[in-house]
Amino acid sequence: MEGAVRAGIDGIDADCGGQLSCATCHVYLGEDWVGRVPEPTEDEDALLEFAAERQENSRLSCQIFVRSDLDGMEIRIPTHQAS
Ligand code: FES
């Protein structure tokens, strides 16, 4: 999330600044990447329930911590956020 905000990527508003209370950082992980990050916590899962267009690969990007082995991760932004 922080990388997207710094890069000015449209669709990642991150209104709560990563405090896990807004879901405006909702993203879809690429199929091959879902199992390569830790499972969502109960709090993240609960907040995702309020995210529009939730899918099985939905995550809140503020809860994904960048590591070198995640280089190249495929992430898509839900259509309603990108417009
Ligand atoms: S930035 Fe608000 S929940 Fe991720």
Side-chain angles (χ1 to χ4, degrees):
M1 173 279 284
E2 289 180 1
V5 169
R6 280 193 210 119
I9 294 178
D10 288 336
I12 304 292
D13 292 343
D15 290 340
C16 76
Q19 298 301 307
L20 200 53
S21 62
C22 72
T24 60
C25 63
H26 180 201
V27 296
Y28 301 129
L29 300 186
E31 197 174 295
D32 295 340
W33 296 91
V34 172
R36 296 171 68 174
V37 296
E39 293 283 318
T41 63
E42 281 186 36
D43 288 342
E44 180 183 352
D45 188 57
L47 188 54
L48 277 166
E49 287 296 320
F50 295 100
E53 301 176 16
R54 183 179 187 178
Q55 298 179 1
E56 285 189 23
N57 58 343
S58 286
R59 293 299 304 266
L60 297 176
S61 58
C62 68
Q63 301 303 300
I64 299 172
F65 298 93
V66 175
R67 309 180 310 249
S68 58
D69 63 318
L70 298 180
D71 186 30
M73 175 181 270
E74 177 191 342
I75 291 176
R76 292 181 298 112
I77 297 171
T79 306
H80 75 279
Q81 284 176 212
S83 54

